[in-house]
């Protein structure tokens, strides 16, 4: 009887040890090889740099694509805005990139009108949310896109441009129909300009 009880106790102990060992192996295997910590870190870094704060799309060398000049807008006390690209994105957007320049010998302020008129957008601070695209063929006006929190999908934070300084900028709009190949880019206090869509 005592031998039988000992055998039963040994079987129970062996069974519990096997279950415990299987649990430990499963837990260790899950922590060791899946890179669980690195994925959230990467996701966090991507989400912490929203389009409104980020730089314009880059060329293959890693810098802003300034190889083309589609148009040059002038005004705003002497500031110049050189438009480099107006490219359709796969998500149905049109991204305009450019360089804001101050060719004068003094510091120039960015006009408040560049921020746009919407109260929600004005709360987000200085931006280029006042920029628009005009599709003269379809007689439509396109505004800078906003994210779910009301932030404009454009360069933000530009209040002044120092003498001789150049600042890369971008703005995203809804893409016009595929048949539209040209739009007029407008920014308050600047001369409008017709640009080609690529």
């Amino acid at each position: 009887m005592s031998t039988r009880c000992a055998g039963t106790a040994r079987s129970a102990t062996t069974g519990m040890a096997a279950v415990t060992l299987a649990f430990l192996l499963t837990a260790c295997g899950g922590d060791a090889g899946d890179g669980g910590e690195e994925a959230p870190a990467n996701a966090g870094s991507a989400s912490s740099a929203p389009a409104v704060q980020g730089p314009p799309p880059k060329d293959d060398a890693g810098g802003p694509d300034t190889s083309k000049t589609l148009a040059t807008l002038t005004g705003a006390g002497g500031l110049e805005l050189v438009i480099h690209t107006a490219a359709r994105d796969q998500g149905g957007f049109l991204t305009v990139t450019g360089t804001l320049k101050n060719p004068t010998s003094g510091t120039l302020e960015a006009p408040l009108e560049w921020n746009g008129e919407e109260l929600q957008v004005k709360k987000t601070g200085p931006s280029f949310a006042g920029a628009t695209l005009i599709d003269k063929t379809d007689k439509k006006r396109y505004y800078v896109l906003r994210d779910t929190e009301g932030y404009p999908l454009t360069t933000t934070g530009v209040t002044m441009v120092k003498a001789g300084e150049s600042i890369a900028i971008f703005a995203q709009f809804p893409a016009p129909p595929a048949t539209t190949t040209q739009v007029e880019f407008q920014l308050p206090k600047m001369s409008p300009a017709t640009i080609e869509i690529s």
Side-chain angles (χ1 to χ4, degrees), residues 90-184:
Q90 291 182 350
F93 309 126
L94 180 71
T95 302
V96 176
T97 66
T99 303
L100 181 64
K101 298 181 178 182
N102 179 359
T104 73
S105 58
T107 299
L108 297 176
E109 292 186 10
L112 292 175
E113 291 84 355
W114 287 1
N115 303 334
E117 295 296 322
E118 298 172 50
L119 293 177
Q120 179 67 23
V121 173
K122 284 184 176 182
K123 293 177 184 176
T124 66
S127 70
F128 290 84
T132 56
L133 296 179
I134 307 296
D135 181 349
K136 292 184 177 179
T137 303
D138 287 345
K139 296 179 174 58
K140 289 184 180 178
R141 180 185 298 266
Y142 297 91
Y143 295 88
V144 172
L145 291 166
R146 278 66 162 154
D147 67 13
T148 54
E149 296 179 3
Y151 286 88
L153 301 184
T154 181
T155 304
T156 60
V158 177
T159 57
M160 293 186 176
V161 187
K162 297 176 183 176
E165 186 178 16
S166 294
I167 300 172
I169 67 108
F170 80 101
Q172 286 188 320
F173 301 87
T179 54
T180 300
T181 58
Q182 290 185 336
V183 289
E184 184 176 86

Side-chain angles (χ1 to χ4, degrees), residues 26-109:
T26 302
C28 291
D31 289 340
D34 65 357
E37 291 182 12
E38 192 168 348
N42 289 342
S45 64
S47 63
S48 65
V52 296
Q53 302 292 342
K58 298 177 181 296
D59 61 14
D60 292 338
D65 186 1
T66 58
S67 59
K68 299 177 185 177
T69 297
L70 299 182
T72 300
L73 287 68
T74 58
L79 290 171
E80 294 180 355
L81 178 58
V82 180
I83 304 294
H84 300 299
T85 62
R88 295 179 189 276
D89 299 335
Q90 291 182 350
F93 309 126
L94 180 71
T95 302
V96 176
T97 66
T99 303
L100 181 64
K101 298 181 178 182
N102 179 359
T104 73
S105 58
T107 299
L108 297 176
E109 292 186 10

Side-chain angles (χ1 to χ4, degrees), residues 4-17:
R4 192 166 150 206
C5 286
T8 303
R10 197 172 347 176
S11 297
T13 303
T14 304
M16 290 197 58

